[in-house]
Amino acid sequence: MLEQPQIAGVDEARRRLPEILKAAHQRGTVTIVTNRGVPYAAVVPLPQAVQQTARLTELRGSAKGCYGDAPTFVERLRNEWP
């Protein structure tokens, strides 16, 4: 079972960075870094990051043609508005 991601504010993450990196490497722990409660970044184990990147690159260009001729569509919308 995967463990829940850890949450650390920016200051805490800065103080604990060696510990956070070690946990990611050894135990696969994901740590979400927040700034004033807003998630900004995540420290993830490298294999997980590489796997996710590979999945995302497979999607590159997969929406081509889904929206028809975008410039014509935008021009038509602009002409409809006064």
Side-chain angles (χ1 to χ4, degrees), residues 12-42:
E12 178 186 358
R14 187 178 295 126
R15 286 191 309 274
R16 295 183 42 226
L17 186 59
E19 175 188 335
I20 290 170
L21 293 175
K22 186 175 182 180
H25 178 69
Q26 292 180 345
R27 295 191 310 272
T29 303
V30 173
T31 302
I32 298 172
V33 181
T34 63
N35 187 10
R36 299 177 190 233
V38 177
Y40 264 52

Side-chain angles (χ1 to χ4, degrees), residues 46-60:
L46 186 58
Q48 184 178 339
V50 170
Q51 181 183 25
Q52 183 68 25
T53 302
R55 275 193 249 135
L56 291 174
T57 56
E58 291 172 6
L59 295 175
R60 184 177 290 139

